Amino acid sequence: MRVEGGKELFAPGAACQGFLLLLDGRVRVGVTAKNGRRLLLYRVAPGETCVQTTLCLMGGLDYSAEGVAETDLRFVLIPAPLFERLLRESPDFARFVFERFGARMAEMTRLIETIAFLRVDARLAAALIARADGQGELTATHQELAEDIGAAREVVSRQLAVFRRTGLLRLARGKISLTDRAGLADLACVI
């Protein structure tokens, strides 16, 4: 199957239709609080699985987060009845699902630890490094960065201004250039 970038794949309260095996593209999975603030839980890349989908299928639950195609997608959708049969009858498939589920749960635990124990400047520095290309350039809005690190947009804007004043980066509309990646890396390691 194929889906264009920007399309919502699932939303809180929706039933899961099947297990998605992503071949190409990237899916953003996040939650939105009642006050409108958003938090990125994780991204799904080719070869990875969505813990929300796995939980829904294995537990008979509805989605509690939203999934959006960040890019155009190409994937295989395994219908729920076939997914259940494969879990029962194929040890290799079951191992694939549980290994990926375990890896994603470990990632979710790291996210909780990061939000709970790292200061905003450290979280933002790490997010900037993770998003930057080989030349230290990235395209992201302050809101997108806020969602990535679990902070308010205004907090991210203030912290980016501090980073700019201290020479760690340059800011332009929708574009950020890292000028001191090592300095940001030092900040990212601070707990």
Side-chain angles (χ1 to χ4, degrees):
M1 300 178 77
R2 293 181 186 275
V3 167
E4 291 181 8
K7 182 172 178 12
E8 183 179 83
L9 302 173
F10 55 85
C16 182
Q17 302 302 310
F19 189 75
L20 186 137
L21 293 172
L22 190 58
L23 303 173
D24 292 308
R26 192 175 57 246
V27 177
R28 177 185 183 90
V29 178
V31 293
T32 304
K34 289 181 182 176
N35 66 5
R37 285 199 35 206
R38 300 170 54 103
L39 173 65
L40 170 71
L41 296 176
Y42 54 88
R43 287 183 169 90
V44 182
E48 298 176 342
T49 60
C50 174
V51 72
Q52 277 283 306
T53 299
T54 306
L55 283 170
C56 292
L57 288 169
M58 292 173 51
L61 305 169
D62 291 336
Y63 282 107
S64 60
E66 60 192 351
V68 176
E70 281 194 316
T71 63
D72 291 349
L73 305 178
R74 190 171 63 92
F75 59 91
V76 173
L77 184 68
I78 299 173
L82 178 56
F83 174 80
E84 292 169 7
R85 192 177 99 223
L86 287 170
L87 277 182
R88 284 191 313 272
E89 298 174 6
S90 173
D92 289 337
F93 182 76
R95 188 171 25 266
F96 168 83
V97 170
F98 286 111
E99 283 174 356
R100 305 268 177 325
F101 184 79
R104 186 63 75 191
M105 289 304 295
E107 186 180 315
M108 297 292 295
T109 300
R110 283 190 298 278
L111 172 66
I112 293 167
E113 289 171 349
T114 298
I115 290 172
F117 301 125
L118 284 184
R119 296 184 330 240
V120 168
D121 60 344
R123 296 192 330 248
L124 182 56
L128 292 168
I129 291 168
R131 279 181 168 253
D133 63 18
Q135 288 72 44
E137 306 285 328
L138 62 132
T139 303
T141 66
H142 295 195
Q143 181 62 41
E144 290 167 340
L145 291 168
E147 291 172 16
D148 283 359
I149 68 167
R153 183 195 54 75
E154 298 81 9
V155 171
V156 167
S157 296
R158 282 193 301 271
Q159 191 60 58
L160 286 170
V162 170
F163 287 172
R164 182 187 50 76
R165 281 194 306 274
T166 58
L168 296 172
L169 53 78
R170 284 190 314 271
L171 296 171
R173 189 173 254 333
K175 184 176 177 183
I176 300 171
S177 301
L178 307 185
T179 55
D180 185 357
R181 190 184 288 250
L184 286 167
D186 285 346
L187 271 176
C189 293
V190 174
I191 296 180

